[in-house]
Amino acid sequence: MPIRFRSITLAGALLLSTAAGAQQVRTVSQRGGYDASRETTVLGTVVSFTPQSKSAPAGGHVVLQTSSGTVDVNLGNTALLQAAGVELKTGDSLRILGENVNFMGGQFFAARVVQKGAQAVALRSSYGIPLAAPRQSNTSATDAKAQGGAR
């Protein structure tokens, strides 16, 4: 009889069990993934902003000057910032909630929430999964004209 494996994700832990009842628990931190219990806040000034990185990890990056040096922050999907009307420019002060994540033998700071002034934008779920950008309407001026135009 083959052994069947079942996986269930519970509050940041991956539980693997076999038909024989043996259990092994591996936490996200043991895997090196995102773990909200390890989140920290980084405060700094924007040195540079890249909306889409050409190297891993993919997504937008912002380099912040903090009191302890520069930090390269992976923002993930920057279309979320754009949709919220948040522009990042050199000299802007940011507060970023996230955590250092192990990735391909190195580490990067993964932003979950970016705050500029009073506006905060969520970029990742509490599990560290990048959020999708809101869908934009495909209605164009031509479509509006075909439907009788604005009244």
Side-chain angles (χ1 to χ4, degrees), residues 32 56-58 101-108:
V101 175
N102 295 326
F103 180 75
M104 295 177 63
Q107 278 194 338
F108 70 93

Side-chain angles (χ1 to χ4, degrees), residues 50-62 72-78 99-111 124 128 130:
T50 306
Q52 183 61 41
S53 175
K54 293 180 184 352
S55 60
H61 284 259
V62 65
D72 181 13
V73 178
N74 178 270
L75 302 171
N77 191 348
T78 57
E99 82 150 308
N100 281 315
V101 175
N102 295 326
F103 180 75
M104 295 177 63
Q107 278 194 338
F108 70 93
F109 192 83
R124 285 183 168 80

